[in-house]
Amino acid sequence: MSDTTAAVGRPVLRREGGDKVTGRARYTDDLVVPGAWYGKTIRSGIPRGRVRTITYDPAFNWSQVVVVTAQDIPGDNVVQLIRDDQPALAAGEIRHREEPILLLAAPDRDTLAAAERAIRIEYDVLEPVFDLTLATETYSTIEISKGDVVGAFKGLKDGEVVERTFKVGLQEQLYIEPQGAIAIPESGGAIRVIGSLQCPYYVHRALKRTLELTDEQAIVVQAETGGGFGGKEEYPSIVAIHAALLARKAGRPVRLIYDRHEDLAATTKRHPGVIRHRTGVRRDGTLVAQDIEIVLDGGAYCTLTPVVLSRAAIHAAGPYACPNVRIRARAVATNTPPNGAFRGFGAPQSLFAAELMVEHVAERLGVPSLDLRKKWMLRIGDTTATSQTLTESVSAELVLAAALKAAPPVRPRPSGSPLGSAHPTVRRGRGLSLVYHGSGFTGSGEKKLGGKVAVEALPGGTFTILTASTEIGQGTKTIFTQIAADALGVPLEQVTVAPQDTSLVPDSGPTVASRTAMIVGGLIHAAAVELQERLAKSPKPKLPLRVDKTYVQPDTIHWDDQTYRGDAYPVYAWACTIVDVDVDMLTGEVRVTDLLSAVDCGKAIHPVMAEGQIEGGMLQAVGWATIEEIKMKDGGYQNDRLATYLIPTALDAPRIRTILVENPYSGGPFGAKGIGELPMDGPAPAIIAAIHDATGVWLDEVPATPEKVLAACASS
Amino acid sequence: MRFVLNGLPMTVEAPGSRRLLDVLRETVGLTGTKEGCGEGECGACSVLIDGEVVNSCLVAVGQVAGCNVVTVEGLAAPDGALSSLQQAFIERGAAQCGICTPGMLLAAHALLQQNPRPSEDEVRVGLAGNLCRCTGYTKIIDAVLACRT
Amino acid sequence: MPDVAYLQPRDVADAVRVYRETPGARLLAGGTDLMVMLHAGTVRPRALVDLWSLAELKGIRRLDGGVEIGAAEPYTSIIGSALVAEHCPALVAASRTIGAAQIQNRGTLGGNLANASPAGDTLPVLLAADAVVVTDRRTIPVADFFTGYRKTALGAGELIVAVRLPAAARGVQFRKIGTRAAQAISKVVIAVSREPARVALGSVAEIPLRARGAEAALARGDAAGAVAALPSDIRPIDDVRSTGDYRRMVAQNVLEELLRD
């Protein structure tokens, strides 16, 4: 066994970094596929109704293109996910204005555009529902209860009851590489789809169902992917189905690459919603009862809404111990484009409200909110809202202390004369939040997934990791090789990762839910350890030698899907975020100048990449809280170009500081927990608190746009 | 149409009104330059024309006749040795998903050519035309500052 | 888009001739507006007439105590020009707020004037500075230049050659309230001068305009009166970026602040 310095915990070079800085990395649209045609999706344009007629202009030569409608679908006209409600192509009632009606493919872009112009679709319009409070259809309801909330409020004689309602807005994931897939028909009825995606096996299942393909005939390959953040969790199934239908009918490869405008207009967004809190406390600050109602808008089709609602509900009480909790959550349908996965997945929404409630209760009691957090925060042995007893790796106190210790002194407030870059009409404020985020799938999710990996020893002394978990920038390939190399006791260079190709690698489950390091990394670790043991036992092992591992839920984890009680997640990651803002009192503009977060993710397999997740995730949350506003019109997004959907530039971004606190989890590889989504949870409520600190004004929603800030200041 | 591309003379047959971005990616076959928006908002398509960083989705290829164009493929040395910026990007975690990286490298390169010792604020100004969604910009700025001379 | 003809005239006289004689031709300078529209299909010209390299449209030079800037000189040059900094620092400030490096390296005053977007960041500065638009055949005071939503006083085949800033441009102050810190379209953009009294704004009407009521009060030395008069001079709307109420409030707040200094 060669001498190796442990790779885990070291900032080793990113596995595919060389390709990314030289232009060698091949993203979907970079791939040259000889003979490929170009595809396009023709969409509804009305938010609710039915197709009355489709007219194909006879002046156009239709033999030069391929047209696909619902009639061409061999299998089920359904986008396989949770509920079979979303058709691949509209066949009955249209439920949102971006609903795909038909598909076109042509040899070149000009012919494609001409074909699109030669189609006229007429609709019978039905009355749409846009307002979630007027929704008539519910996708999912969840009720979580602990103790006796009704009784607790009745018994709160000399206490305080604080009620507040919060709103959270839509958000676009805004991966810099738009959605796209290339479908290539192959021999034996096979179709290979190469695409920008997070979950090859989600796409695989969807293709099998809609195109009636066997496991072997459907081949899904992930190309280098330019960002996902959840936006490429379920949506790529639609792109893949469409590309495959076109390729099948055309008998040749088809490239279906979205431009930014289509991507902004038609793909899934973060669920917006309304969250109502009623909190009961004693005068001494003891937390007695939390009664919470959540309504999320799922848009026109169910997609992943029940799971988003689940995570939102489970996190809704915040990282606090409360004896009486009731959380009633529901997700409803509107005639807007379907909402879907986006980093955080419901938790940023409900934690926004939970954290601000701490501020409001503190204000009512006349005490610092920090005192309440210290009093209420979850500690080892406490139970959560789902009555989960926390037994290890509980770090609320740790991250709070670390953030406070690291926070720079509060900057002096301007006294009326300019102080350096301070302007007399700029007010400064600081805000803090404390959040937690469950690692892995909720409850029985991981058990149901049964994720699989394999590690194989090859002749020649190298090893390969076989997993469907994808690299989307977060460092999957790198951390997997670190984990495997250390477990095998070999240098990093001897370990490779096989391509994320469903014909080559097993289904490790989706690359979502902050599960990649902890769950899949854990499986890889176990497989590598066993492989190393088997190699060590035999003097001349027969190579290749492969060890497969399937996830088995530890029998210490108990969750009841019916009562929604028990161990919602194996473990939680924790973060305390402190933010400084400047508020321009003339314009309402909020500038986040400094952002710091102390984060416990158990063990940072790669400290630089862990910081990268935190820094990037937090800036996305800053955007959600400040400038990423989506205005609706007739059931569609007005912000449908990059000139109007605004994410922070380098000049908008604050200085971001990360403090990694490691409180290891015995069930994670080298102690690692999840980290991908946690950074999304902290900044938004901290920013609202900071705006209040600066101006004395409370906003109850995100984004806190200058228009809202100025109006709130003017009316106070 | 004749211009210099990454230090070498290039002749392309293309309508002058075609976007430089499309000529680079499809006619010349250099796919390092990316299309993130087609509107000149994201900077993923950034290239250098006579040393200045521009969005190639906004340049008609006829306009680069006789000019020096540099893409991400032209940043490393002919023997493949990475530039100090490219190396710093890998080492400091400035590239995550990598889609913004080519444009970002070119904007940073142009910045350092014009201002070899920028302050952090000057780096932010210089990179303000390049959107990144993964990194929060922190490690990108660190990487550029590490390459000051 | 189906390939559009690309024409590269030798000089301004050639450009004028080609522009006038080619049906469906559009003028191309830095492309920061036209190439976006072309790709999106919102304009479908038959030909592009490329002015970018014409030497007669470049340059920044002294003229009659002021400055003349070539119509195709990019914003980066304006930002770095000691002459412009001396004669009209507000134009440097405004140019810095346009896009970011990539856009500044290609965007031009000629292009922004010809597009006549009500949100053009430099246009209120030109109005407040009493700038003059020089075309191939005449001069047009910028106050007469914007005739309607994205419409100008330019005649058929007429080309902008330069922009002249008179000596008095020195006193102009500028502030833009954008949608974010860079790469931002303005929500309100304002340029103010005390002597002569000028209050010019963008993004508060269908054209960049001078607030005549506010100017009259300012000319009398009545700053408070100027702020009070402003809402009647402007007609801001609710749109994807902002609201009429916000624009009105912010325009007043910022005018008050600029006049306070």
Side-chain angles (χ1 to χ4, degrees):
Chain A
M1 198 165 79
S2 39
D3 166 66
T4 58
T5 314
V8 168
R10 273 198 300 124
V12 303
L13 294 186
R14 175 180 284 272
R15 192 33 79 103
E16 75 290 351
D19 288 342
K20 285 175 171 171
V21 299
T22 55
R24 284 194 307 261
R26 294 269 176 271
Y27 302 79
T28 301
D29 194 44
D30 298 334
L31 300 169
V32 176
V33 180
W37 281 19
Y38 298 89
K40 186 116 185 25
T41 310
I42 308 302
R43 299 178 183 278
S44 143
I46 58 152
R48 188 167 174 235
R50 285 175 193 280
V51 173
R52 191 185 332 129
T53 55
I54 301 180
T55 309
Y56 301 90
D57 186 348
F60 181 83
N61 179 1
W62 291 99
S63 69
Q64 28 168 10
V65 304
V66 154
V67 180
V68 164
T69 67
Q71 278 67 55
D72 294 303
I73 294 174
D76 295 337
N77 183 5
V78 144
V79 180
Q80 162 81 29
L81 204 52
I82 295 177
R83 195 198 264 204
D84 283 350
D85 64 336
Q86 183 168 194
L89 289 172
E93 180 180 313
I94 290 158
R95 297 200 193 158
H96 66 96
R97 69 181 307 117
E98 300 296 330
E99 180 129 24
I101 311 293
L102 56 89
L103 307 167
L104 293 173
D108 60 82
R109 292 191 191 98
D110 290 338
T111 308
L112 190 62
E116 185 180 3
R117 286 194 297 273
I119 294 178
R120 199 173 75 246
I121 307 180
E122 275 161 28
Y123 302 93
D124 291 319
V125 167
L126 292 169
E127 189 61 33
V129 174
F130 297 144
D131 185 342
L132 63 72
T133 61
L134 302 175
T136 53
E137 191 193 328
T138 300
Y139 290 124
S140 178
T141 58
I142 291 171
E143 178 152 345
I144 294 173
S145 64
K146 178 189 184 191
D148 174 15
V149 148
V150 174
F153 275 110
K154 281 208 193 93
L156 194 63
K157 290 188 196 19
D158 290 330
E160 295 282 354
V161 175
V162 180
E163 282 191 50
R164 200 97 185 176
T165 301
F166 304 92
K167 277 170 65 172
V168 289
L170 290 157
Q171 188 185 17
E172 157 61 36
Q173 301 84 350
L174 222 294
Y175 27 77
I176 304 293
E177 182 215 6
Q179 305 260 1
I182 302 174
I184 304 166
E186 293 188 344
S187 61
I191 299 187
R192 174 183 303 264
V193 175
I194 306 172
S196 185
L197 48 95
Q198 293 173 228
C199 311
Y201 274 95
Y202 278 11
V203 178
H204 189 251
R205 274 193 279 286
L207 284 175
K208 280 197 306 178
R209 182 135 182 233
T210 308
L211 279 96
E212 268 189 351
L213 302 171
T214 65
D215 274 336
E216 292 71 34
Q217 287 174 321
I219 304 162
V220 179
V221 180
Q222 183 226 5
E224 194 76 75
T225 295
F229 319 113
K232 293 176 183 169
E233 172 174 351
E234 79 272 27
Y235 197 84
S237 293
I238 294 175
V239 187
I241 288 170
H242 289 170
L245 286 170
L246 284 169
R248 182 177 166 273
K249 189 156 184 186
R252 53 171 63 244
V254 172
R255 313 172 69 91
L256 186 61
I257 313 285
Y258 284 20
D259 68 14
R260 180 60 62 184
H261 167 60
E262 179 173 25
D263 199 305
L264 281 167
T267 69
T268 56
K269 307 281 175 282
R270 181 182 299 287
H271 289 66
V274 179
I275 301 147
R276 251 191 77 215
H277 269 253
R278 197 159 156 256
T279 302
V281 289
R282 296 216 193 91
R283 289 262 153 73
D284 67 357
T286 305
L287 181 58
V288 171
Q290 292 171 293
D291 195 7
I292 304 167
E293 280 171 47
I294 301 171
V295 183
L296 295 184
D297 181 351
Y301 292 110
C302 183
T303 72
L304 296 169
T305 293
V307 197
V308 175
L309 190 71
S310 171
R311 200 174 264 274
I314 290 168
H315 288 80
Y320 304 113
C322 180
N324 305 288
V325 182
R326 179 172 65 176
I327 301 164
R328 289 174 291 177
R330 71 181 192 282
V332 299
T334 61
N335 294 106
T336 63
N339 295 313
F342 190 168
R343 195 175 198 169
F345 209 73
Q349 292 97 312
S350 65
L351 285 167
F352 173 73
E355 274 306 277
L356 285 178
M357 275 312 279
V358 181
E359 301 292 327
H360 288 293
V361 172
E363 191 174 70
R364 176 76 65 85
L365 293 176
V367 302
S369 56
L370 195 54
D371 291 359
L372 288 186
R373 287 193 171 89
K374 286 178 177 165
K375 206 176 161 69
W376 297 355
M377 65 183 155
L378 288 162
R379 294 176 168 85
I380 295 230
D382 284 338
T383 57
T384 67
T386 64
S387 303
Q388 172 174 9
T389 305
L390 298 177
T391 55
E392 74 165 300
S393 197
V394 175
S395 308
E397 201 153 14
L398 269 175
V399 296
L400 186 61
L404 288 170
K405 182 159 176 240
V410 175
R411 292 164 300 151
R413 280 140 214 278
S415 57
S417 59
L419 270 173
S421 62
H423 192 279
T425 58
V426 170
R427 302 226 186 120
R428 294 178 159 144
R430 174 170 285 187
L432 178 149
S433 71
L434 182 65
V435 294
Y436 68 156
H437 202 96
S439 303
F441 260 84
T442 306
S444 45
E446 289 297 342
K447 187 158 75 170
K448 289 187 188 132
L449 267 179
K452 297 173 172 47
V453 307
V455 181
E456 193 168 38
L458 302 174
T462 59
F463 300 82
T464 190
I465 301 167
L466 299 124
T467 172
S469 291
T470 54
E471 170 66 62
I472 51 173
Q474 78 288 55
T476 305
K477 288 190 168 137
T478 309
I479 66 161
F480 283 179
T481 56
Q482 288 172 277
I483 291 169
D486 280 6
L488 290 163
V490 302
L492 261 182
E493 300 69 53
Q494 280 175 238
V495 183
T496 59
V497 179
Q500 277 60 51
D501 174 333
T502 55
S503 69
L504 299 175
V505 298
D507 185 359
S508 315
T511 310
V512 303
S514 306
R515 64 187 294 274
T516 299
M518 187 177 85
I519 303 283
V520 186
L523 287 173
I524 288 168
H525 184 254
V529 164
E530 184 178 314
L531 182 59
Q532 197 277 325
E533 284 166 358
R534 282 164 65 172
L535 290 170
K537 259 194 273 202
S538 149
K540 224 174 186 298
K542 185 156 176 285
L543 300 177
L545 180 61
R546 171 173 164 149
V547 172
D548 286 78
K549 282 289 170 199
T550 300
Y551 180 77
V552 173
Q553 188 167 66
D555 53 20
T556 50
I557 294 176
H558 304 288
W559 171 258
D560 188 331
D561 271 321
Q562 306 308 316
T563 61
Y564 243 74
R565 283 207 185 105
D567 304 322
Y569 302 95
V571 75
Y572 295 81
W574 307 81
C576 179
T577 305
I578 297 177
V579 65
D580 287 342
V581 303
D582 280 350
V583 182
D584 186 325
M585 300 306 288
L586 297 183
T587 65
E589 289 165 297
V590 175
R591 242 195 93 223
V592 178
T593 60
D594 295 86
L595 183 57
L596 119 71
S597 197
V599 172
D600 163 43
C601 62
K603 168 79 183 174
I605 306 286
H606 189 300
V608 170
M609 286 181 177
E611 286 173 356
Q613 286 304 286
I614 295 162
E615 289 155 9
M618 290 216 288
L619 190 63
Q620 290 178 356
V622 169
W624 183 51
T626 57
I627 58 174
E628 292 184 44
E629 182 176 36
I630 294 184
K631 292 183 177 172
M632 305 293 298
K633 187 176 177 190
D634 298 332
Y637 313 125
Q638 288 191 63
N639 310 73
D640 60 0
R641 295 191 186 274
L642 263 200
T644 51
Y645 187 84
L646 308 167
I647 67 170
T649 66
L651 258 181
D652 294 281
R655 282 181 287 278
I656 305 177
R657 242 179 88 202
T658 308
I659 296 140
L660 290 175
V661 170
E662 291 183 334
N663 188 358
Y665 168 54
S666 63
F670 302 95
K673 302 187 282 192
I675 193 177
E677 297 173 279
L678 172 74
M680 201 79 215
D681 299 329
I687 287 169
I688 298 294
I691 293 171
H692 173 261
D693 188 44
T695 64
V697 153
W698 281 114
L699 276 92
D700 291 324
E701 63 181 301
V702 280
T705 60
E707 286 76 7
K708 291 178 195 155
V709 171
L710 199 64
C713 289
S715 65
S716 74
Chain B
M1 172 115 13
R2 289 206 193 99
F3 56 102
V4 175
L5 180 58
N6 296 329
L8 297 173
M10 171 70 52
T11 305
V12 292
E13 295 297 325
S17 60
R18 193 131 184 258
R19 298 185 311 173
L20 175 61
L21 173 64
D22 297 323
V23 171
L24 290 170
R25 288 177 57 79
E26 294 171 5
T27 314
V28 181
L30 290 181
T31 58
T33 309
K34 309 297 180 194
E35 177 159 9
C37 74
E39 305 168 43
E41 288 287 338
C42 73
C45 69
S46 298
V47 300
L48 304 185
I49 298 180
D50 293 340
E52 297 192 321
V53 69
V54 300
N55 292 319
S56 63
C57 72
L58 301 181
V59 176
V61 71
Q63 296 185 300
V64 303
C67 294
N68 254 301
V69 177
V70 177
T71 67
V72 66
E73 290 91 345
L75 287 180
D79 67 359
L82 297 179
S83 73
S84 54
L85 252 182
Q86 287 171 304
Q87 193 61 33
F89 264 56
I90 302 178
E91 284 167 4
R92 289 171 186 269
Q96 286 189 30
C97 83
I99 196 78
C100 80
T101 303
M104 195 70 76
L105 282 167
L106 288 157
H109 181 90
L111 170 70
L112 290 174
Q113 294 286 112
Q114 278 142 35
N115 182 358
R117 284 205 69 82
S119 66
E120 179 179 325
D121 280 346
E122 286 168 330
V123 174
R124 288 182 185 272
V125 169
L127 300 183
N130 294 77
L131 296 180
C132 175
R133 194 54 155 167
C134 293
T135 67
Y137 303 102
T138 302
K139 295 187 184 324
I140 293 174
I141 291 162
D142 286 348
V144 178
L145 290 174
C147 291
R148 288 184 293 189
T149 49
Chain C
M1 68 211 168
D3 289 318
V4 174
Y6 171 79
L7 306 169
Q8 212 170 31
R10 296 181 300 275
D11 54 31
V12 168
D14 192 26
V16 170
R17 183 189 56 77
V18 165
Y19 185 34
R20 196 175 23 228
E21 291 173 4
T22 311
R26 283 196 71 127
L27 300 172
L28 173 68
T32 61
D33 282 309
L34 184 55
M35 292 299 283
V36 180
M37 295 193 283
L38 213 52
H39 185 69
T42 50
V43 296
R44 312 198 43 210
R46 303 254 286 278
L48 304 179
V49 180
D50 185 8
L51 308 176
W52 178 251
S53 306
L54 295 183
E56 295 151 276
L57 301 182
K58 302 279 192 193
I60 301 176
R61 52 208 158 253
R62 288 185 200 280
L63 187 70
D64 297 338
V67 174
E68 183 176 79
I69 302 171
E73 191 64 42
Y75 283 113
T76 301
S77 308
I78 294 172
I79 290 166
S81 162
L83 268 181
V84 181
E86 183 195 333
H87 286 275
C88 190
L91 186 59
V92 173
S95 303
R96 280 190 197 282
T97 68
I98 296 175
Q102 290 90 335
I103 300 295
Q104 290 164 9
N105 283 334
R106 300 289 285 189
T108 64
L109 278 177
N112 284 185
L113 280 163
N115 278 324
S117 162
D121 298 317
T122 57
L123 307 181
V125 174
L126 301 181
L127 282 167
D130 288 330
V132 171
V133 179
V134 182
T135 76
D136 60 278
R137 61 198 72 166
R138 57 178 170 144
T139 59
I140 309 173
V142 76
D144 301 334
F145 189 78
F146 305 106
T147 57
Y149 178 65
R150 293 185 177 262
K151 285 186 167 37
T152 72
L154 293 170
E158 188 171 5
L159 224 70
I160 303 172
V161 164
V163 176
R164 285 181 194 153
L165 297 168
R170 219 169 293 239
V172 177
Q173 295 174 86
F174 168 85
R175 182 139 177 216
K176 166 181 169 180
I177 291 85
T179 49
R180 61 183 166 188
Q183 287 288 122
I185 301 177
S186 64
K187 293 185 183 184
V188 175
V189 56
I190 180 167
V192 172
S193 160
R194 285 181 188 272
E195 189 63 52
R198 297 283 178 269
V199 178
L201 298 106
S203 294
V204 295
E206 74 287 358
I207 54 167
L209 51 56
R210 280 175 49 185
R212 303 285 181 168
E215 285 181 357
L218 188 58
R220 291 190 307 266
D222 181 5
V227 173
L230 190 59
S232 314
D233 291 331
I234 61 180
R235 35 195 184 271
I237 58 172
D238 295 347
D239 65 11
V240 66
R241 273 176 287 287
S242 188
T243 64
D245 284 345
Y246 177 82
R247 289 172 156 128
R248 227 177 326 266
M249 205 179 332
V250 169
Q252 287 186 285
N253 287 350
V254 173
L255 177 60
E256 186 173 32
E257 188 65 20
L258 288 173
L259 293 178
R260 195 201 310 277
D261 295 335

